[in-house]
């Protein structure tokens, strides 16, 4: 499904952003009840075309004075089409088990507080057609911190997407391409306070699992990179790779030796897999692939810095502009 803030050739299935909340953090207080964490808790906001879901692991505790029984809140789901808010509230103990309906109302009020002053607050709402979705999500994050007594720092963003056209980048005869139809699952570690994440997010690390990302060197397809990590500044660490071409038909360490020889400048590097061992050869191959991929990645980011509406990828990833300074 096409999203307005992304190019039409990127199909985003869903996106989640997670925060770590400290123990005994109060997120909402009303009357005699308090909505709080009992231990260090992961808060995850998931955005899909038809819903917004907030989940807590472990569950939040709705603290009530004795003899009333405490309750737990695992998640609240908000249907963008109907405006219905569905909380998962349950008893966790106590002698007198009353007030569950009121607790569910408080959970709905917590969700309403998150979407207030955003287009999400007025159903029916379609996030895929929101041209300012980045701004909308920033306001939700602002509401999240404003509603509680704890400051949020750092976040982890997760997304699943499909490409409907080829994505390619290169420097000279070297580069990469991700074919049309490829699926990507990415997890992104973001640094900063809530205000910094809203205004100028700084990515520290991206873990990418891809159904296919082909590295070509000297104009020839050499390897299919299936899992890699991108660090701030564009440094790459390759974690899973499959040889292509001639090396693909070789077995075990021999395929890696062939691939390494094809990747290094000039080729023909003498490697003895029996002396070095498959793990050492594999490490050399991954390092050489990372060196080959980085210039192509940097070039692609510099040329497509505005691919996400409302965000400069050069600034987010810490990659210099074409002139040399970080945007």
């Amino acid at each position: 499904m096409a999203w307005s803030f992304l190019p039409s050739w990127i199909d985003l299935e869903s996106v989640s952003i997670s925060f770590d909340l400290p123990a005994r953090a109060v997120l909402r207080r009303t009357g005699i009840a308090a909505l709080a964490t009992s231990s260090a808790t992961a808060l995850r906001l998931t955005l899909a075309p038809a819903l917004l879901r907030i989940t807590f692991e472990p569950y939040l505790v709705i603290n009530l004075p004795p003899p009333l029984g405490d309750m737990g809140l695992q998640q609240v789901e908000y249907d963008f089409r109907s405006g219905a808010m569905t909380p998962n509230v349950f008893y966790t103990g106590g002698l007198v088990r009353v007030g569950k309906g009121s607790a569910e109302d408080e959970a709905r009020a917590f969700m309403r507080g998150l979407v207030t002053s955003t287009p999400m607050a007025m159903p029916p709402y379609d996030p895929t057609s929101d041209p300012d979705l980045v701004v909308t999500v920033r306001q939700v994050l602002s509401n999240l911190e404003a509603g509680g007594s704890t400051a949020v720092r750092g976040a982890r963003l997760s997304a699943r997407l499909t490409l409907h056209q080829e994505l390619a980048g290169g420097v000279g005869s070297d580069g990469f391409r991700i074919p049309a139809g490829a699926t990507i699952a990415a997890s992104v570690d973001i640094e900063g306070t809530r205000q910094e994440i809203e205004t100028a997010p700084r990515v520290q690390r991206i873990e990418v699992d891809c159904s296919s990302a082909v590295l070509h060197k000297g104009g020839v397809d050499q390897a299919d990179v299936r899992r890699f990590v991108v660090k701030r500044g564009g440094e790459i660490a390759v974690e899973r790779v499959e040889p292509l071409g001639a090396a693909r038909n070789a077995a075990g360490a021999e395929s890696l030796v062939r691939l390494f020889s094809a990747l290094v400048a000039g080729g023909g590097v003498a490697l003895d897999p029996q002396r070095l061992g498959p793990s050492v050869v594999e490490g050399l191959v991954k390092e050489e692939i990372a060196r080959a991929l980085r210039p192509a990645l940097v070039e692609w980011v510099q040329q497509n810095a505005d691919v996400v509406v409302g965000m400069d990828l050069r600034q987010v990833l810490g990659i210099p502009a074409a002139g040399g300074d970080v945007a």
Side-chain angles (χ1 to χ4, degrees):
M1 181 176 293
W3 296 63
S4 295
F5 79 110
L6 291 172
S8 59
W9 48 271
I10 297 180
D11 181 358
L12 179 63
E13 178 182 321
S14 65
V15 61
S16 299
I17 185 167
S18 302
F19 301 96
D20 291 328
L21 302 177
R24 295 176 295 280
V26 177
L27 276 70
R28 180 179 174 84
R29 188 183 297 276
T30 176
I32 61 174
L35 184 64
T37 61
S38 59
S39 59
T41 300
L43 179 157
R44 183 171 68 253
L45 285 166
T46 300
L47 177 66
L51 64 84
L52 176 67
R53 179 188 300 118
I54 183 168
T55 307
F56 304 96
E57 293 290 347
Y59 59 82
L60 292 185
V61 175
I62 303 173
N63 290 309
L64 296 168
L68 299 179
D70 289 345
M71 283 174 274
L73 173 62
Q74 190 77 73
Q75 71 174 36
V76 187
E77 194 169 283
Y78 176 33
D79 188 323
F80 289 139
R81 296 161 299 187
S82 66
M85 296 181 180
T86 308
N88 179 9
V89 173
F90 49 89
Y91 291 107
T92 62
L95 298 176
V96 181
R97 297 191 167 190
V98 296
K100 184 178 178 181
S102 297
E104 290 174 340
D105 288 342
E106 289 301 324
R108 295 185 185 97
F110 177 71
M111 176 64 87
R112 280 195 295 272
L114 289 183
V115 301
T116 189
S117 301
T118 76
M120 292 180 181
M122 296 173 287
Y125 166 75
D126 181 3
T128 67
S129 63
D130 185 347
D132 299 315
L133 185 60
V134 172
V135 176
T136 299
V137 172
R138 285 172 178 168
Q139 182 60 51
V140 170
L141 298 181
S142 179
N143 292 341
L144 172 65
E145 189 167 284
S149 60
T150 185
V152 167
R153 184 174 185 87
R156 187 172 181 85
L157 185 72
S158 302
R160 296 185 62 86
L161 53 91
T162 300
L163 303 184
H164 291 305
Q165 72 179 45
E166 182 178 270
L167 185 155
V171 177
S173 60
D174 300 343
F176 71 93
R177 74 173 187 278
I178 301 177
T183 57
I184 298 173
S187 296
V188 185
D189 291 332
I190 307 172
E191 181 187 68
T193 63
R194 187 266 304 166
Q195 293 89 343
E196 291 167 339
I197 292 172
E198 285 180 39
T199 58
R202 290 167 52 87
V203 166
Q204 296 302 312
R205 176 185 173 92
I206 307 174
E207 297 178 7
V208 180
D209 286 282
C210 185
S211 60
S212 180
V214 178
L215 168 71
H216 52 89
K217 191 170 178 63
V220 178
D221 292 348
Q222 302 288 0
D224 199 348
V225 182
R226 299 297 181 88
R227 179 176 174 82
F228 57 96
V229 175
V230 180
K231 299 178 182 178
R232 185 163 185 80
E235 294 299 326
I236 296 175
V238 175
E239 296 190 351
R240 181 185 170 201
V241 62
E242 297 181 8
L244 296 175
R248 184 176 189 174
N249 298 321
E254 182 186 352
S255 68
L256 296 174
V257 171
R258 289 189 183 184
L259 177 56
F260 183 81
S261 298
L263 291 171
V264 296
V269 174
L271 291 178
D272 183 349
Q274 293 183 341
R275 177 184 299 177
L276 295 177
S279 63
V280 175
V281 178
E282 182 180 6
L284 293 172
V285 168
K286 290 178 178 178
E287 290 176 8
E288 194 63 32
I289 290 174
R291 278 193 289 269
L293 277 176
R294 185 181 185 279
L297 173 66
V298 169
E299 180 83 5
W300 187 88
V301 171
Q302 290 171 338
Q303 294 178 357
N304 298 271
D306 59 351
V307 67
V308 178
V309 176
M311 192 175 294
D312 186 328
L313 287 188
R314 295 168 301 179
Q315 184 182 61
V316 170
L317 295 173
I319 289 178
D325 295 330
V326 177

